[in-house]
Amino acid sequence: MDSLLVVYHALPSMLSGSLVTVGNVTISLAMGLVLGVPLAVAQVYGGPWLRRLVALYVWFFRGVPILVLLFLCYGLFISLGLPADPFLICCLVLGCTSTAYQSQIFRGAIESLPQGQLNAARALGMGETTGICTIILPQAMRLSIPGWANEFSILLKDSAICYVLGTQDIMARTSFVAARTHEHLALYAAAGCIYFLLTLVVLKVLRRLEEKVHVPGYSSGMGSEGMGVG
């Protein structure tokens, strides 16, 4: 009963922290979307040097642990005399990491489309940029929804590590209360439930979006592993 009482009193603070977590994930995911699409296009249609640069970026942010990137970015801000706001740094690091992963999601979607579509657009007098923006990308974005949903769930779980910089997210608030009350098991179980519910709700929404934009008889070609919550 004492554990439940501690969780009950800590829940408002943990739910407030969930707003910070959602804000962090939303900004990072949006950054990954805005930057990931051009990187995917560059990797598929760009020249050799551009493809190598994109591959290097993807290799770096997929290969270095997020915790290391957080400390590197924090140290860089301090060295340059910039205000080292923990929330901003976490959004920047998670956004750059998500950009690398999302670029590969969109690249796979683009490459799954028939190559003749862009040639047909050129035959109709369209420029390559116009053909990519009006024909290729709308289809690729629709096919990317399952992988994008999977990226959201991964990014939400990765955001838990941001508490090491002092962001007032779910994990930071849970850790603070647990240190004072020593009810670690109950509090971290409650935090896990909050993360699970956030993931469940968003994946349900994305599942509905996938069904809404699905074209009957048109296979996505990417599977639906990312939408594992039915």
Side-chain angles (χ1 to χ4, degrees), residues 12-213:
S13 177
M14 294 167 66
L15 292 177
S16 297
S18 68
L19 298 178
V20 178
T21 296
V22 170
N24 189 352
V25 173
T26 301
I27 294 173
S28 303
L29 203 64
M31 178 179 170
L33 176 64
V34 172
L35 299 179
V37 172
L39 290 186
V41 172
Q43 204 163 16
V44 176
Y45 299 108
W49 283 105
L50 185 57
R51 290 200 298 269
R52 290 191 183 98
L53 286 176
V54 174
L56 180 62
Y57 175 91
V58 172
W59 170 80
F60 177 79
F61 281 99
R62 292 177 70 179
V64 180
I66 291 178
L67 182 60
V68 176
L69 290 173
L70 286 172
F71 287 134
L72 283 175
C73 188
Y74 186 82
L76 180 62
F77 271 56
I78 295 296
S79 300
L80 296 177
L82 300 174
D85 180 68
F87 182 81
L88 174 63
I89 292 175
C90 291
C91 289
L92 182 61
V93 170
L94 289 180
C96 290
T97 304
S98 184
T99 296
Y101 282 97
Q102 288 193 53
S103 69
Q104 299 310 291
I105 293 172
F106 299 132
R107 180 184 64 82
I110 292 172
E111 291 180 342
S112 71
L113 298 172
Q115 296 183 357
Q117 292 193 18
L118 192 56
N119 293 331
R122 294 193 188 99
L124 292 174
M126 287 188 183
E128 185 168 350
T129 302
T130 303
I132 292 172
C133 293
T134 60
I135 296 177
I136 302 300
L137 285 183
Q139 298 180 77
M141 296 298 288
R142 184 177 70 247
L143 301 181
S144 299
I145 293 176
W148 200 72
N150 190 52
E151 171 62 14
F152 164 80
S153 63
I154 293 173
L155 194 61
L156 178 63
K157 290 181 286 187
D158 286 345
S159 69
I161 197 65
C162 292
Y163 87 98
V164 298
L165 292 187
T167 57
Q168 294 301 307
D169 59 357
I170 299 172
M171 282 299 297
R173 293 170 185 262
T174 303
S175 179
F176 176 76
V177 177
R180 296 182 61 186
T181 62
H182 304 290
E183 293 290 347
H184 296 83
L185 179 60
L187 287 166
Y188 285 118
C193 290
I194 294 174
Y195 279 107
F196 175 78
L197 290 175
L198 288 174
T199 303
L200 181 66
V201 170
V202 174
L203 291 188
K204 285 285 188 181
V205 172
L206 291 176
R207 168 73 77 175
R208 293 290 180 86
L209 177 62
E210 183 188 13
E211 293 173 350
K212 186 173 182 179
V213 302

